Structure formats: C-alpha cells, structure tokens
C-alpha cells in the first residue's frame, strides 16, 4: 500500500492511523456525540426538576444535588480515565465507561427515592467521564495549534446541538410521561453511542507513545502539569467560566418556571435559544477569529463579556432597576451563554497545546476542574430558596471575576510561552 503524506492538521510526530484519516468526518461526528453526552445527561433532565421534587417528595436543594452528583462523578471519573487512556490507549477505557454509563442511566429511570437517584447519578457521571476526557485526548492526538482550536469549535457546533434540543426533547417527553421517561431515552442514546464507538472509532494513540507507568506515574505527571503556572491559569479560567455557566444551568429551571411562571416548554425554548447563541459564537471563533486574532485576545474578550453580563444580571435580580420581567433576565443570560463560545474552546486549546506528551492526563485535569467547580455552584444557587434569582447572579459574577483574574495573573497573555517540559519517566 503506498504511503501518503499526513494532512497538514495532523501533528508532526503523531500520525493518525490510516483508518482515522480516511473517515475524518465520521470521527468528528463520533467525538461530537461523546462531548454531547454530558449536556444531554444534564439538560434533557432540567425541565423535569420541579416534577422530580414533587414526585420524590424532596426539596429543590435536594433535587439539585442530582445535578451535583453527576458533575462530581464526571470530575472524579476523568482523573481515573485520563491517565488510563495514556497507558492503555483511548479505545478500551472509553468502551468500558460507555457500558457502565448505560447501565447506571437505566437504574436512574426506576429510582424510588431521591437518595438512590443521587447515588446512581454519581455513577452515571463517573462512567460518562470517559467520553469527555477521551474525546479531548483524541483531538490532541490528531491536531495541534490553530487547527486544534478550530476543531474544538467544530466540536462545539456538533455538541452544541445537544443543549439546544435536549431541554426541548425533555419538555416534550413531560407532555406524554414523567421524568423517568427522560432517563429511558438517555439509556437508549447511550447504548446507540456505545455501538457507534465500538464500530467506528479507531485507536489514535500508538503503543510506542503510551506511558507504561502506573498510578504513581500518573500522579507525578499531573503534579508537574499543575506546577506549570500558565497551564493551571488556563485550567482555572476555563473551570470558573464553566462555573458561571453551570450556575445558570442549575438555577434556570426554578428561576424561569417558579419565579417567572413560565411553562416547561417555554423554559425549554429559552434554553435552546441561549444554546444557539453559544454555538453561533463558537463557530465565529473557529471559522473567523482563529488565525486572524490571537486565541488569548478572543478568550480575554469572552471573559470580559461574561463578567459584564453577570454584573447586569445581579443588578436586575436585586431590584436596582425595579421589578424586571422575564425578557430582560433572558437577554442577560443569552449574552452570558453566547460569550462562553469564546471562553470554552480557547481555554481548552491553549492548555492542551502545552501538553503534547500527556494529553490524557491534561484533559483529565481540565475536565475535573471544570466539573468540580460546576458541582460547587449547583447547590449555592439555591441557598436562598426558590423565591429569588439573586444567588444565581452572585455566583455567576464571582466565577467570572475569578476567571478573568486567573487569566491575567497566571496566563499573562502578553508574554511568549512554550510547551510544558515532558515529565521524567
């Protein structure tokens, strides 16, 4: 078979297998499906949160812990799966995680109590972490530089369809059944994606590029990655920005439906519109800005807009402008969500560009910080009860200010930077 030169977007020294190169579009769709699974698991369930509280006779704060548990699981699971994928390759840990995800989701559909639902949401998150961390690691196996930033923006387009359609699907499911039907559908989606991964996603990490070390080596690698100030700055900037996003995800079902009296279908429509904004800005980043504007400038602008939107929401929810209706609040949330399209792909790209030698471990750290910070914000937004949206806005503003501070103080975008030195083996 004649040799062919690797495409320009494939990293030098890390050629992708021929099967991957010949099915690039299919691989993109598979990776998009893997990154879409977390928002599907979260957002399809959102319109049902008030219904879950009533059906299981649990307060809103307890029901919100079902979101927190899933996030904590996704955070901790990535710490395990990321190093495993650096040692054993991407494919085997991914398939194991997907099978466990399907089983845990099926049990959630029949959970008789809030406590059991929280427990299996934790397991669902632990298993679902495989798709998140390995999808990012596969991108790092295949791409570098601006091409990696563009690919992350492409993934945002594909995975961004999930938060657009998920609450809409969830709202429609609630018209014909209850919240348990949401988990039944998630079980089917997980099983279908598992089959697609098994059949079409080939291995992207050759054996000679794997790390033979065990837990000790993985911990040492993560410690050396975290010792790099710039990498940690991007990690914290992205994680805190996601914290602001998840404050919205966790609080919005109660804010929109309980405080402003909207129906589950109206909430789903508004959530979908906000997700369209995020996807559109992500595509603007990948198709227009990347290559013309530095990634740091685009990231800094995105964090600035998030901060301004969070500040405006705080002023509105605390009554500074008097009583405001649903439309101004929805407009502020739309701006905040849209600006995430600049923050999320660029923090991932900038951090992973510094870690070509340990993409799995770096991806695990990025994902863990993101989901842990999201898990912290989830219960905080309901700390003052269901009658005010001010805690949501406070959490969003604190997260946005923290993200901007970490970006400026630790990443120092005005300086030239190189990759992180490869850890000693």
């Amino acid at each position: 078979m004649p040799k062919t030169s690797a495409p320009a977007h494939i990293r030098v020294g890390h050629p992708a297998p021929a099967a991957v190169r010949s099915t690039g579009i299919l691989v993109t769709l598979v990776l998009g499906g893997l990154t879409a699974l977390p928002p599907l698991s979260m957002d399809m369930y959102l319109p049902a949160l008030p219904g879950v509280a009533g059906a299981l006779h649990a307060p809103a704060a307890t029901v919100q812990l079902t979101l927190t548990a899933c996030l904590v699981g996704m955070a901790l699971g990535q710490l395990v799966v990321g190093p495993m994928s650096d040692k054993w390759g991407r494919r085997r840990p991914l398939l194991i995680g997907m099978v466990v995800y399907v089983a845990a989701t099926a049990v959630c559909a029949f959970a008789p109590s809030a406590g059991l639902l929280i427990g299996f949401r934790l397991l669902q998150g632990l298993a679902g972490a495989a798709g998140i961390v390995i999808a990012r690691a596969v991108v790092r196996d295949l791409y570098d530089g601006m091409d990696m930033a563009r690919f992350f923006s492409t993934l945002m387009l594909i995975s961004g369809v999930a938060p657009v359609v998920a609450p809409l699907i969830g709202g429609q499911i609630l018209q014909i059944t209850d919240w348990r039907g949401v988990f039944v559908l998630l079980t089917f989606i997980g099983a279908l994606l598992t089959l697609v991964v098994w059949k079409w996603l080939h291995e992207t990490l050759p054996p000679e590029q794997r790390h033979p070390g065990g837990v000790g080596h993985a911990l040492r690698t993560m410690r050396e990655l975290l010792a790099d100030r710039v990498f940690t700055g991007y990690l914290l900037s992205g994680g805190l920005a996601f914290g602001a996003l998840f404050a919205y995800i966790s609080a919005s079902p109660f804010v929109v439906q309980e405080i402003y009296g909207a129906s589950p279908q109206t909430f789903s429509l508004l959530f979908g519109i906000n997700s369209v904004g995020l996807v559109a800005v992500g595509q603007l980043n990948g198709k227009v800005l990347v290559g013309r504007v530095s990634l740091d400038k685009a990231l800094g602008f995105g964090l600035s807009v998030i901060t301004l939107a969070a500040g405006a929401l705080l002023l509105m929810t605390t009554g500074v402008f008097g009583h405001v209706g649903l439309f101004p609040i929805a407009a502020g949330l739309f701006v905040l969500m849209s600006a995430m399209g600049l923050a999320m792909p660029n923090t991932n790209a900038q951090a992973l560009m510094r870690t070509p030698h340990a993409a799995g471990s770096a991806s695990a750290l990025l994902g863990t910080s993101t989901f842990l910070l999201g898990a912290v914000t989830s219960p905080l937004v309901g700390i003052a009860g269901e009658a005010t949206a001010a805690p949501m806005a406070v959490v969003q503003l604190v997260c946005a200010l923290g993200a901007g501070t970490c970006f400026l103080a630790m990443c120092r975008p005005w300086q030239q930077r190189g990759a992180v030195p490869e850890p000693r083996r």
Side-chain angles (χ1 to χ4, degrees):
M1 180 177 179
K3 293 183 178 180
T4 58
S5 60
H9 61 267
I10 302 297
R11 288 197 295 133
V12 176
H14 292 260
V20 173
R21 290 200 302 268
S22 64
T23 56
I25 295 177
L26 183 58
V27 169
T28 302
L29 293 174
V30 173
L31 295 180
L34 292 173
T35 55
L37 197 58
L40 280 176
S41 302
M42 295 290 178
D43 302 341
M44 193 182 298
Y45 174 62
L46 291 179
L49 282 179
V52 174
L56 299 181
H57 308 290
T62 300
V63 173
Q64 284 173 328
L65 286 176
T66 62
L67 296 176
T68 302
C70 191
L71 277 176
V72 170
M74 289 180 179
L76 298 179
Q78 291 182 73
L79 285 178
V80 176
V81 177
M84 284 174 57
S85 74
D86 282 339
K87 181 178 181 180
W88 293 321
R90 314 303 186 197
R91 183 174 161 84
R92 194 191 324 172
L94 176 57
L95 285 171
I96 294 172
M98 292 299 299
V99 170
V100 177
Y101 171 89
V102 171
T105 306
V107 175
C108 286
F110 301 99
S113 67
L116 193 62
L117 181 61
I118 290 170
F120 277 92
R121 286 283 277 175
L122 176 66
L123 181 59
Q124 183 191 42
L126 285 167
I132 309 166
V133 67
I134 291 178
R136 272 197 305 265
V138 168
V139 173
R140 190 62 185 99
D141 291 339
L142 302 178
Y143 296 88
D144 201 359
M146 296 298 181
D147 291 299
M148 182 163 56
R150 290 191 181 97
F151 194 86
F152 274 125
S153 293
T154 301
L155 282 187
M156 181 168 287
L157 172 62
I158 299 170
S159 62
V161 173
V164 174
V165 302
L168 295 173
I169 295 172
Q172 295 305 310
I173 289 175
L174 294 179
Q175 289 189 323
I176 59 175
T177 183
D178 61 7
W179 59 273
R180 298 181 189 278
V182 174
F183 285 107
V184 171
L185 182 57
L186 283 172
T187 302
F188 173 78
I189 293 172
L192 180 62
L193 188 55
T194 302
L195 178 63
V196 170
V197 168
W198 174 75
K199 188 170 179 61
W200 283 296
L201 185 62
H202 301 276
E203 183 59 62
T204 60
L205 186 66
E208 64 272 13
Q209 294 171 7
R210 298 175 190 175
H211 298 299
V215 175
H217 178 270
L219 293 176
R220 187 165 57 252
T221 298
M222 290 184 177
R223 185 174 64 248
E224 295 189 16
L225 290 173
L226 290 173
D228 174 56
R229 170 180 50 80
V230 179
F231 173 83
T232 304
Y234 286 121
L235 177 147
L236 291 174
S237 297
L240 286 166
F242 184 82
L245 172 63
F246 201 78
Y248 159 71
I249 292 175
S250 180
S252 59
F254 296 96
V255 170
V256 174
Q257 296 180 70
E258 302 296 326
I259 297 177
Y260 291 97
S263 67
Q265 289 70 39
T266 300
F267 162 73
S268 300
L269 178 62
L270 291 175
F271 195 94
I273 291 172
N274 290 343
S275 299
V276 168
L278 186 151
V279 172
V281 174
Q283 292 312 291
L284 174 68
N285 177 73
K287 305 299 184 183
V288 178
L289 298 182
V290 172
R292 295 180 175 87
V293 178
S294 75
L295 300 184
D296 279 333
K297 286 183 179 179
L299 172 57
F301 181 76
L303 293 177
S304 299
V305 174
I306 291 170
T307 304
L308 291 174
L313 285 166
L314 181 60
L315 294 176
M316 288 189 286
T317 56
T318 52
V320 172
F321 301 129
H323 177 72
V324 297
L326 178 59
F327 180 77
I329 298 294
L333 292 171
F334 175 80
V335 173
L336 185 145
M337 280 277 284
S338 298
M340 293 291 172
L342 293 176
M344 294 166 67
N346 290 327
T347 50
N348 281 334
Q350 289 287 67
L352 287 173
M353 269 194 274
R354 298 181 60 79
T355 59
H357 52 276
S361 295
S363 178
L365 288 172
L366 287 170
T368 297
S369 64
T370 295
F371 284 101
L372 280 180
L373 286 165
V376 169
T377 64
S378 179
L380 292 178
V381 298
I383 201 168
E386 302 173 33
T388 174
M392 175 190 72
V394 169
V395 171
Q396 288 174 329
L397 183 58
V398 169
C399 287
L401 290 171
T405 300
C406 290
F407 175 60
L408 293 175
M410 302 178 71
C411 301
R412 299 176 188 175
W414 55 87
Q415 296 179 346
Q416 295 292 322
R417 301 180 293 269
V420 182
E422 183 168 356
R424 296 182 300 274
R425 299 187 182 183

